[in-house]
Amino acid sequence: MKPVVVWAGLVALTLVEVALAWVHTAPVLMLGLLILLSVGKAAMIAWWFMHLRSFRPRLLVWLFPMLLLCIGLLFVLVRDGGR
Amino acid sequence: MTGHKRLGMWLFVMSDVLTFATLLIVYMALRLGNPDWPRPFTLSPAILFATGMTIVLLASSLTMVWAVAAMEAGDRRGAVRWLVATMAGGLGFIGLHLTEWRHLLETVSPGTIFGSVFFGITGLHMAHVAAGVIYLGVLAVGVGRGKFAAEDVETGGLYWHFVDVVWMFVFPLIYLMAVKP
């Protein structure tokens, strides 16, 4: 895909996020939707701009699940810290 | 051995992802745990201004992609031109951000929970952008003198895109979750 098309897609998703802020939904729903859109935008940047698609599959399999596991553990730790 | 610089940058990026993830997860816990969370941002001009900052940063990522492509095609002069354009985008972002901070400091105290979270997270991100501008400046000078290879520019690009990725989370979670009703 051409970089300009990816960029236009990222700008369009940003405008969708701003439109969501205009609507004023419940904070939990709003947070969920915004995180979903942000993950999508981050994936687009990583896949096309950071050339993740040409990454060696073995590295992809080792590194990214570990990163997701660490982020998942952060959620657990924050909840535990709130007690 | 080729690709070791890229791998090194990926490992750095992943470790820095955890830094920002920690800050943003703590922010989300605070935000959802406080029904009276401050909402200082109006859609116009605050959110429109921040949207402009986002578009500037995204545009600088696009020029970075073109810098890497020019370098891979052996066009050093083109690569330097796009690297300078990327730096200009980064400096534009910092300028807009500081302007926004100046206005916000009139109403939000950095000593409050919201203030410390806002200025802490956006300040750390701005420091990353500033470091990126310096990094790209060193790359541009080196490429212009025929020193660096395409992989070096691509490695710099990984850092710059990472800064962009972080902002893709900071903008919606910090700004859009604090819009005045």
Side-chain angles (χ1 to χ4, degrees):
Chain A
M1 197 181 290
K2 282 190 175 178
V4 178
V5 178
V6 178
W7 180 80
L10 290 166
V11 171
L13 285 177
T14 303
L15 295 177
V16 170
E17 287 176 338
V18 175
L20 271 177
W22 197 291
V23 175
H24 289 299
T25 48
V28 178
L29 178 66
M30 173 93 164
L31 189 65
L33 287 170
L34 288 176
I35 288 176
L36 209 68
L37 284 165
S38 299
V39 168
K41 285 164 71 182
M44 283 169 76
I45 293 171
W47 194 253
W48 279 294
F49 288 178
M50 297 170 91
H51 303 293
L52 200 63
R53 64 203 151 113
S54 56
F55 225 63
R56 272 175 282 177
R58 207 186 332 167
L59 278 174
L60 217 67
V61 167
W62 274 106
L63 291 178
F64 284 89
M66 294 302 152
L67 184 68
L68 293 176
L69 178 71
C70 288
I71 293 173
L73 283 172
L74 284 173
F75 276 101
V76 176
L77 288 172
V78 166
R79 281 187 67 188
D80 201 42
R83 282 195 292 160
Chain B
M1 184 182 171
T2 58
H4 60 286
K5 290 176 185 170
R6 275 196 307 260
L7 178 62
M9 183 55 82
W10 269 109
L11 290 174
F12 165 75
V13 160
M14 285 183 175
S15 66
D16 225 15
V17 162
L18 290 177
T19 306
F20 279 101
T22 307
L23 290 170
L24 288 171
I25 289 168
V26 168
Y27 160 77
M28 282 189 275
L30 287 170
R31 171 70 181 85
L32 293 179
N34 289 287
D36 302 323
W37 189 255
R39 295 174 172 192
F41 302 115
T42 50
L43 275 166
S44 177
I47 294 298
L48 290 181
F49 197 80
T51 307
M53 284 160 54
T54 307
I55 292 171
V56 167
L57 200 61
L58 283 172
S60 74
S61 252
L62 186 62
T63 54
M64 190 68 227
V65 169
W66 287 333
V68 173
M71 198 63 188
E72 281 171 351
D75 178 13
R76 282 184 176 267
R77 193 176 266 192
V80 170
R81 203 168 44 234
W82 289 121
L83 281 171
V84 170
T86 308
M87 287 168 67
L91 287 173
F93 177 84
I94 292 171
L96 289 169
H97 215 336
L98 288 175
T99 308
E100 187 220 11
W101 267 27
R102 197 163 52 84
H103 288 296
L104 206 64
L105 277 169
E106 291 167 7
T107 52
V108 176
S109 164
T112 59
I113 294 179
F114 174 78
S116 56
V117 166
F118 176 82
F119 290 109
I121 294 177
T122 59
L124 185 64
H125 179 263
M126 205 187 334
H128 276 73
V129 176
V133 169
I134 294 166
Y135 181 10
L136 294 183
V138 172
L139 268 180
V141 171
V143 168
R145 289 181 180 170
K147 267 187 178 174
F148 292 124
E151 190 191 358
D152 296 303
V153 178
E154 197 185 335
T155 306
L158 285 178
Y159 177 81
W160 193 257
H161 297 311
F162 158 69
V163 168
D164 206 1
V165 165
V166 170
W167 186 254
M168 294 304 111
F169 287 91
V170 171
F171 170 63
L173 298 184
I174 305 279
Y175 287 82
L176 299 181
M177 286 296 290
V179 173
K180 210 174 255 184

